[in-house]
Amino acid sequence: AACREGPIIVPCSRIRVLDGSLPAPSNSRAEGMWNAQKTKPPFWPAHRVVNQTADTFGLRLIILRDETSDPLHGLAPLPAEFGSAIAFLVRRTLTPVPMPGMPTQLVQALRGTGQGGTLARSAAPSRLLLRAGSSGDGSTVA
C-alpha cells in the first residue's frame, strides 16, 4: 500500500499525549482506522492510539482525525517547542520517526529510550513534556 512507502506527516495540532488521569486506551478493530468512543467516557472525537501494542515502546500518543482546540479529558496537547509535525511509519502499528529539528528529548520519549524515555513510563508525561520543552538541553535532530 502507498501508506507503507514513506512517512505520514501529522501536524502536532492533531496529536495529544495521555495526561495519566485515565487508563491507557487501545485501538478498536471494529471501526476501521479511527476509534470513536460514543457510548462511554471519555468521549473523544475520532482518533488513533500510537504505541499501544505490547511490543512497542515510547510515549502513547493519540492522533486526532480532525484538528480541534477543544479540551479533551485525559489528553494534553504537545508543547509548541516540539515543532509543527511528527512523522510516522506504517508498520504493524504506527511508529514515530525523528524529523529534522526535533528536540532530542522528544525523540527519546517517542522511542522510549535514553533519559527522555522516562516520559513514556511517567504517570503524567504531558507535564514532563512541557518541562522538557521549556528547559531541555536544546539539542535537536539534524
Side-chain angles (χ1 to χ4, degrees):
C3 63
R4 291 183 182 260
E5 293 176 12
I8 297 171
I9 309 298
V10 179
C12 284
S13 59
R14 290 182 37 218
I15 300 173
R16 301 292 186 272
V17 62
L18 294 170
D19 69 8
S21 66
L22 297 173
S26 60
N27 290 316
S28 167
R29 295 179 186 250
E31 300 185 32
M33 180 176 165
W34 300 106
N35 302 297
Q37 292 170 286
K38 298 175 185 173
T39 59
K40 61 180 181 173
F43 299 107
W44 297 338
H47 64 280
R48 186 83 187 159
V49 182
V50 175
N51 283 339
Q52 57 94 31
T53 60
D55 60 342
T56 56
F57 301 95
L59 274 179
R60 192 168 292 189
L61 302 173
I62 305 297
I63 298 176
L64 303 174
R65 183 181 65 196
D66 302 307
E67 191 172 319
T68 182
S69 59
D70 294 342
L72 300 172
H73 179 68
L75 301 178
L78 287 176
E81 291 90 344
F82 291 113
S84 60
I86 294 180
F88 296 90
L89 293 176
V90 178
R91 300 293 183 249
R92 194 172 72 78
T93 186
L94 289 173
T95 304
V97 294
M99 291 185 58
M102 184 178 280
T104 302
Q105 190 160 4
L106 178 59
V107 172
Q108 291 172 345
L110 291 173
R111 292 179 172 169
T113 62
Q115 185 178 9
T118 58
L119 293 169
R121 295 177 292 280
S122 167
S126 61
R127 284 188 290 248
L128 291 173
L129 270 174
L130 185 56
R131 236 181 288 138
S134 61
S135 63
D137 65 5
S139 59
T140 61
V141 173

